[in-house]
Amino acid sequence: MADARRHYGPMRQALAGAMFNTALQIGGGLGLAVLSTVAATAGDDVLAGYRAAFLTAAGISLAGLLTVLAGIRSPRNLNG
């Protein structure tokens, strides 16, 4: 969050913070809804539902990790 605030002037920091908090709230709610639906529809066994939800969460996390790794840029050399 500190890095995100650096790019905004003092007048826009409140807007950036509100957008960040909104994204966290919506992401958490949407994630819970998706994983609850996966767990409920995975079968009659409760543990099978938990397993399916856990594997779904792991897959989403892996996709996020790959997205972040693909977007990382090497720092520019300012000395040369």
Side-chain angles (χ1 to χ4, degrees):
M1 182 70 182
D3 188 46
R5 286 189 306 229
R6 184 181 63 186
H7 297 291
Y8 295 104
M11 299 297 285
R12 294 192 179 182
Q13 285 185 5
L15 177 62
M19 295 290 286
F20 183 76
N21 286 330
T22 301
L24 284 177
Q25 292 292 322
I26 291 175
L30 185 62
L32 179 63
V34 167
L35 295 178
S36 297
T37 302
V38 168
T41 58
D44 293 333
D45 188 19
V46 174
L47 290 178
Y50 288 162
R51 183 179 301 115
F54 178 77
L55 291 175
T56 302
I60 292 170
S61 297
L62 180 63
L65 174 67
L66 293 175
T67 302
V68 168
L69 291 176
I72 291 178
R73 293 181 260 171
S74 61
R76 292 183 288 186
N77 186 2
L78 299 176
N79 296 328

